[in-house]
Amino acid sequence: MATEESPRRSWSRPTAFYNHYVKWTVYVLITVFLLWSAWNMRISPERITAGWGATVGLVEGMVPPEVTTQFKNELLIEGLVESVAMSVVATIVGVILSIPVAFMAAENIAPKPVYWTGRGIITGSRALHELIIAIIAVKAVGIGALAGVIALSYKTIGFFAKLLAEEIEDIDAGQMEAVEATGASRVQTLLFGVVPQVMPRIVGLTIYRWDINIRHSTIVGIVGAGGIGATLLNSFDKYDYDFFLTIVLAIIAIVMIGELISTYVRGRIQ
């Protein structure tokens, strides 16, 4: 019995554009925008040359880093300890506030009014940079670590709740329905049908956000919200570039230690 030969198919590369005219129009618009941006920033060879000379002078003033003055070493240690403490407290507070917001923002388990309220909270948290929140917090509660904790906790909500809500929306609905079939209440269904499925993600996101808050805690101090940032800015304003480099190296070391810890913990829970 003769078999019919199946028609040969040709493969075409997937594309986001439905025709070539749209594709090249988008490419032209992007190119024009990049050229306009370069012109608007007034980039010129003279400016690049002058900046290179200033950069060389700055680096020469930084090297070698200063590690001899006891008073400065105390400022460095105090600032770093405060930054780490801020990141830990802000992560704990932010995660506690984020979990209910995430459940509110999960479309598969929340009614529409609750869903849009949760999404609104997430959008509000993500809309503003932590430095802006830190400035507002400094005006509200004064200079110090409390303002930094408020700023970092506020930003944690937008990050943590958004990713956790997306994880909740991808859960296995069968497990939740099985819990409901036993006559469980709504709260019991969430506790025993949803939380166990997303708990590894909660732990992983908590570690990841703590890692981010360590880095951000060194920045919010620039506007007076505690941490090493204020010391960093003061050293630069006083042209104390060698101590500035010492602080930068210490921040890099702290971030690297935090990254190693977060990598180890994520590896243990996966």
Side-chain angles (χ1 to χ4, degrees):
M1 180 178 178
T3 58
E4 296 183 0
E5 185 176 348
S6 59
R8 304 186 66 176
R9 297 179 180 179
S10 60
W11 180 85
S12 60
R13 181 173 59 87
T15 177
F17 309 102
Y18 58 88
N19 63 50
H20 292 289
Y21 297 105
V22 174
K23 179 179 72 172
W24 288 110
T25 300
V26 172
Y27 288 167
V28 170
L29 290 176
I30 292 175
T31 302
V32 171
F33 177 76
L34 292 176
L35 293 175
W36 175 83
S37 299
W39 174 83
N40 192 51
M41 289 188 294
R42 303 297 190 271
I43 298 177
S44 64
E46 294 79 11
R47 187 176 180 183
I48 294 175
T49 302
W52 176 254
T55 301
V56 171
L58 179 62
V59 172
E60 289 177 349
M62 288 182 177
V63 180
E66 180 180 357
V67 292
T68 56
T69 305
Q70 181 178 357
F71 175 71
K72 290 182 178 179
N73 290 339
E74 291 176 355
L75 286 178
L76 175 64
I77 295 173
E78 181 181 351
L80 290 175
V81 170
E82 189 173 59
S83 290
V84 173
M86 285 167 50
S87 68
V88 172
V89 175
T91 301
I92 295 173
V93 173
V95 168
I96 292 174
L97 296 176
S98 298
I99 291 176
V101 175
F103 278 84
M104 292 171 59
E107 191 173 11
N108 59 330
I109 63 173
K112 283 297 181 182
V114 177
Y115 168 77
W116 288 113
T117 301
R119 286 292 169 177
I121 295 174
I122 292 175
T123 302
S125 175
R126 291 169 55 84
L128 300 176
H129 194 275
E130 57 266 10
L131 281 180
I132 298 177
I133 303 300
I135 292 172
I136 297 173
V138 167
K139 290 294 184 182
V141 301
I143 294 174
L146 177 59
V149 170
I150 293 174
L152 296 176
S153 300
Y154 182 85
K155 290 299 296 181
T156 297
I157 295 174
F159 172 89
F160 192 96
K162 182 179 187 301
L163 295 181
L164 181 58
E166 293 174 353
E167 185 71 17
I168 295 173
E169 290 176 345
D170 292 334
I171 63 171
D172 180 13
Q175 184 171 333
M176 187 171 62
E177 293 170 356
V179 176
E180 288 179 341
T182 64
S185 65
R186 185 64 175 172
V187 175
Q188 290 173 329
T189 300
L190 295 178
L191 288 177
F192 298 103
V194 178
V195 173
Q197 297 189 63
V198 299
M199 182 56 70
R201 185 63 168 166
I202 290 176
V203 177
L205 286 176
T206 301
I207 300 299
Y208 184 35
R209 184 62 207 186
W210 172 66
D211 182 52
I212 294 174
N213 282 341
I214 288 180
R215 296 193 296 270
H216 289 181
S217 66
T218 63
I219 301 300
V220 295
I222 292 177
V223 295
I228 194 63
T231 307
L232 183 72
L233 182 62
N234 289 335
S235 65
F236 197 84
D237 289 341
K238 295 177 180 179
Y239 304 101
D240 196 358
Y241 296 141
D242 49 356
F243 184 51
F244 175 84
L245 179 59
T246 302
I247 298 174
V248 170
L249 294 176
I251 292 173
I252 293 174
I254 292 295
V255 172
M256 290 181 64
I257 293 173
E259 180 67 23
L260 292 174
I261 294 174
S262 64
T263 301
Y264 173 77
V265 175
R266 285 198 299 267
R268 294 286 296 177
I269 64 175
Q270 289 177 352

